[in-house]
Amino acid sequence: MASHRRPKQPSRTRVTVLTTAAAAAVVLSANAANAAPSEKPGKDEVKAKVDALYEQAEKATEKLDGAKEKQDKLQKQISTLQDNVARGQEDLNELRDGLGSMASAQYRTGGIDPSVALFLSSDPDDFLDKASAMDQLSSQQVEALKKVQEKQRELAQQRQEASEKLKDLSDTRAELKKKKQEVQGKLASAQKLLNSLTAKEKAALDEEQSRATRASERTVLNSPGKAGSGRAGAAYAAAQGMIGRPYVYGATGPSSFDCSGLTSWAYAQAGVSIPRTSESQATIGTRIYSQSDLQVGDLVFFFGDLHHVGLYAGSGQVLHAPRTGTVVRYESMSTIGGAFQFGVRV
């Protein structure tokens, strides 16, 4: 006989849970539908972010320049040491040949002095440390052995120094690679942000910068600052001739520059050799902390870590290579992101 049981009804708890879940789903769907799409950052926000990235890139660039400078110095020092070692080895060989000739002469006239024979088959350092052996040598032999000993010590020291500098060079190259990747990463991020702007927004940013540059040029022409020394004036004039040249990180001119590349190049044209990086350039000359005391051609430094430098152009203006995407130009010192720290009169 068939069963006629009534179908089991869902419990009140289960119904409540399902109803609540359905209601939540409806609310979420409604919210999603009504939510405003994420707003694209405006040109001013993009500019602020790009400027921050360019500042970080410039900071890394100065560290990169410092590593390059250190690498160049180490390579020159290593080359000199290796040349010295090669020449020293030739001198040592000649000294040993002389001792060999002395031993041969002694053999022909009655046998080799046992002390010389001992030297020719062992380390003279060990031999000469034995004071009793000195009595067995003639003054000529003693002098020859001492020269060999000194040359061996000198060569050992130079080889050790070369080995240490080679290790330092390897570490410097690793640092160079790391800093280069850091700079490239910051620049790529900045370019990505710039690419998010419309053509109209990019044009507006370019026009804003052009107006600011023209205003700085007028200020410099209409209110020239106090003239600097002959060398400072010559350096400044050389930099003026580079206006419009592009900023390229690590570049020292004359086709392109980074900030300290421009200042070091300009002073070189005036016959003055100054360090390569902004941080090192800040350690030379006489510091000037009051902007009113600056003269045209003085070096001027910005940011707490001194990673940006330019040439004072008078009336609160600076002639510098600002950052990637710009050219050598005049700019008001008040518009540079990092506050003026001090000047240096070379």
Side-chain angles (χ1 to χ4, degrees), residues 100-144:
S101 299
M102 188 185 303
S104 297
Q106 287 183 337
Y107 179 77
R108 287 194 299 270
T109 60
I112 301 177
D113 187 310
S115 59
V116 176
L118 177 60
F119 162 71
L120 292 174
S121 61
S122 64
D123 187 346
D125 282 344
D126 179 59
F127 177 71
L128 289 176
D129 286 340
K130 300 174 182 178
S132 60
M134 297 296 290
D135 295 335
Q136 303 173 32
L137 298 173
S138 69
S139 60
Q140 183 181 7
Q141 291 166 342
V142 170
E143 189 62 30

Side-chain angles (χ1 to χ4, degrees), residues 194-216:
L194 288 173
N195 290 342
S196 70
L197 295 175
T198 64
K200 185 176 180 180
E201 289 172 327
K202 289 179 182 177
L205 284 179
D206 291 341
E207 178 55 29
E208 287 176 10
Q209 185 54 66
S210 295
R211 282 199 301 271
T213 300
R214 289 194 295 270
S216 291

Side-chain angles (χ1 to χ4, degrees), residues 155-171:
L155 284 174
Q157 182 179 348
Q158 289 177 335
R159 286 192 177 105
Q160 177 63 27
E161 189 177 351
S163 177
E164 291 171 356
K165 289 192 180 295
L166 282 168
K167 182 182 182 304
D168 198 4
L169 179 60
S170 177
D171 293 341

Side-chain angles (χ1 to χ4, degrees), residues 42 84 100 115 120 122 216 249 267 272-273 291 304 307 339:
N84 290 342
S115 59
L120 292 174
S122 64
S216 291
Y249 75 87
Y267 266 93
V272 182
S273 176
Q291 186 172 316
H307 70 256

